[in-house]
Amino acid sequence: MSSGGVEHGGADLLHTLSDFVSSDIVALGVSEFDTSYSQVPALCSLLEATFDFGLLSAGGGIFGGKKRNFWDFLLVALKTDQEVKSIKASKAAKTPTGKGRLFIWQALVNRNLAELVQMATMDPKIVKTFYDN
């Protein structure tokens, strides 16, 4: 991991995010995720933007291919995770963006976002497939 984070691409940003979420929750002394906090929607939007940062387009071709969503990355990187499997099967969210948002929400509620991000970034080949360096 680089010390700079953002300038080195999406993979480093995901590692930085994992560290930030872990330390921020501990620093706040929050023992339970409370969805009534007014900052929750802004936090979820920030996390979504962070996950989307540095995503590569799928395929190639003249027009650059299909725009990926971080949910596409999570499906591959966390294919055996029960939370991801349950969101994939869920009818509550129909689009990749919606499923990604549901993932963030559930991970915050279950207090395991940092752990899931760490697990998702363990395989550098998968990360390089989805994110720029």
Side-chain angles (χ1 to χ4, degrees):
M1 186 168 79
S2 74
S3 60
V6 174
E7 69 273 7
H8 292 290
D12 284 338
L13 193 57
L14 287 177
H15 289 289
T16 303
L17 170 66
S18 174
D19 295 341
F20 169 76
V21 170
S22 296
S23 63
D24 197 39
I25 289 174
V26 170
L28 291 172
V30 177
S31 60
E32 186 174 308
F33 184 75
D34 186 348
T35 58
S36 68
Y37 291 134
S38 60
Q39 299 90 343
V40 169
L43 174 62
C44 289
S45 292
L46 177 63
L47 291 169
E48 182 179 352
T50 303
F51 276 117
D52 280 339
F53 180 81
L55 272 174
L56 300 171
S57 294
I62 298 171
F63 300 108
K66 173 187 157 226
K67 170 112 172 81
R68 281 188 172 147
N69 183 284
F70 71 90
W71 176 248
D72 301 322
F73 165 70
L74 294 172
L75 279 174
V76 174
L78 298 173
K79 63 183 168 215
T80 61
D81 182 72
Q82 279 307 119
E83 208 162 332
V84 170
K85 286 180 180 180
S86 99
I87 292 169
K88 183 179 177 184
S90 173
K91 300 213 186 299
K94 297 179 183 351
T95 66
T97 299
K99 289 183 185 289
R101 289 176 180 163
L102 184 57
F103 169 83
I104 290 172
W105 186 263
Q106 282 188 350
L108 287 171
V109 168
N110 294 333
R111 298 181 47 88
N112 63 351
L113 180 63
E115 176 186 342
L116 290 170
V117 170
Q118 286 174 346
M119 288 172 37
T121 58
M122 284 183 149
D123 186 339
K125 283 175 126 179
I126 293 173
V127 174
K128 285 182 182 183
T129 300
F130 286 89
Y131 288 93
D132 65 6
N133 292 333

